[in-house]
Amino acid sequence: MNHVKTAMLIAGMTALFMGVGFLIGGGRGMVVAFVIAAAMNLFSYWNADKMVLRMHHAREVDGASAPEYHRIVTELAARAGLPMPRVYVIENDQPNAFATGRNPQNAAVVATTGLLQRLTPEEVAGVMAHELAHVQNRDTLTMTVTATLAGAISMLGNFAFFLGGSRDNNNPLGGIGVLLAMIVAPFAAMIVQMAISRTREYSADRRGAEICGNPMWLASALAKIANAAGRTVNLDAERNPATAHMFIINPLNGQRMDGLFSTHPDTQNRIDALAAMAGEMSASALTTAPAATPARPGPWSRAGRTAKPRKGPWG
């Protein structure tokens, strides 16, 4: 079912791209837009993740350069039954994170230095589990390709005035078509982009809580991230707003409303859903016989860490 939704959403973005082409150049413009969209879909399938990582100046880390952070991701990937993703860090004070990649075998998870510095290891585990849930649900391909197409549609809309002003253009709607391309098409692309993010964040929250084992770790992390994100400017995200839906919390400064124009569900609603899930898990635990042997604590757990001074999950 997820594959069907993915195909429908990408088809919708392609149709929007063709619609912009029609508004600018009529039938001929629509054909050209279709060819460009098809080429972009193919290119994005193989390369969109690399483009997004470059846009945000992400740097790959390993067990030597970021031992605790890398160890947390390794343990969570094993718990989720996923291949080990590539692990990246973005030098940015805004606490945030995202995942990308066309499939679980080619996935990458990314955290900002702000997130690794401000959150406890338990909270980092909750966030990374959320991102691995996106990987497991195969959301990352759709989110990454949509970011590429949404950015292209917005760019094409910005060029509509210049492209539509030629006397040789085949636009049947004239100046109205150009105006629609400039305003309506990027707006429609934004709506589709938001729908993708908003409908999938709750699912990733729930699955992420199951992977890390404690919904309240993610709930606490969301509260901290949302509180800090609105007061910290993410310049790379501001330059590339089409990637905003990929982050766990909207990285664009000043966009906090939970309405039609929000790329993410309201943070408090997400926290409430996680708190309800925690209550369900506690009630279930009370009615279940204790296991013969206690579960081994993960590297994010205080019980699983040694007594030496903690340097933080970033290294």
Side-chain angles (χ1 to χ4, degrees), residues 11-284:
M13 295 298 294
T14 302
L16 283 173
F17 200 86
M18 292 173 62
V20 176
F22 177 78
L23 291 172
I24 294 174
R28 186 166 51 189
M30 184 170 64
V31 172
V32 172
F34 174 76
V35 173
I36 294 174
M40 287 188 64
N41 277 324
L42 183 62
F43 178 81
S44 297
Y45 179 82
W46 295 103
N47 298 289
D49 57 334
K50 301 180 185 68
M51 291 174 59
V52 171
L53 291 169
R54 279 197 296 268
M55 285 178 188
H56 292 277
H57 302 95
R59 169 175 56 87
E60 188 167 7
V61 296
D62 55 22
S65 56
E68 191 171 351
Y69 170 39
H70 193 272
R71 189 165 60 248
I72 286 172
V73 176
T74 301
E75 180 76 10
L76 290 170
R79 288 169 66 97
L82 289 169
M84 178 62 187
R86 290 168 292 150
V87 182
Y88 286 82
V89 167
I90 297 173
E91 298 290 336
N92 194 296
D93 191 48
Q94 184 188 79
N96 229 318
F98 67 86
T100 185
R102 63 181 181 272
N103 55 39
Q105 289 72 35
N106 295 276
V109 293
V110 187
T112 65
T113 51
L115 181 138
L116 298 174
Q117 290 165 354
R118 294 170 188 250
L119 270 58
T120 68
E122 291 82 3
E123 291 164 344
V124 171
V127 171
M128 290 299 106
H130 169 98
E131 299 307 332
L132 288 174
H134 278 308
V135 172
Q136 191 169 59
N137 294 339
R138 296 181 180 267
D139 296 337
T140 51
L141 172 62
T142 307
M143 296 168 73
T144 307
V145 171
T146 301
T148 305
L149 285 173
I153 292 171
S154 297
M155 185 180 299
L156 197 57
N158 292 335
F159 288 142
F161 176 78
F162 303 100
L163 298 175
S166 171
R167 292 176 180 269
D168 298 327
N169 114 22
N170 196 28
N171 175 8
L173 300 180
I176 296 177
V178 175
L179 184 62
L180 288 173
M182 291 174 63
I183 300 174
V184 177
F187 176 79
M190 181 177 63
I191 296 299
V192 174
Q193 181 189 32
M194 292 169 183
I196 292 172
S197 177
R198 289 165 61 85
T199 57
R200 299 190 179 205
E201 289 304 316
Y202 285 116
S203 176
D205 284 347
R206 186 169 188 86
R207 179 56 186 146
E210 292 171 350
I211 293 172
C212 73
N214 191 329
M216 297 313 297
W217 292 351
L218 177 56
S220 177
L222 289 174
K224 285 187 179 180
I225 297 170
N227 182 54
R231 295 183 282 104
T232 311
V233 178
N234 186 328
L235 291 178
D236 287 329
E238 298 290 343
R239 295 189 192 103
N240 303 282
T243 64
H245 67 285
M246 299 180 65
F247 287 81
I248 190 168
I249 291 288
N250 186 357
L252 304 181
N253 194 260
Q255 296 188 11
R256 304 178 186 176
M257 61 280 196
D258 183 34
L260 182 63
F261 304 104
S262 173
T263 58
H264 293 71
D266 178 68
T267 303
Q268 189 57 52
N269 290 345
R270 295 170 68 182
I271 292 173
D272 291 344
L274 288 165
M277 181 181 178
E280 294 170 4
M281 292 174 68
S282 297
S284 176

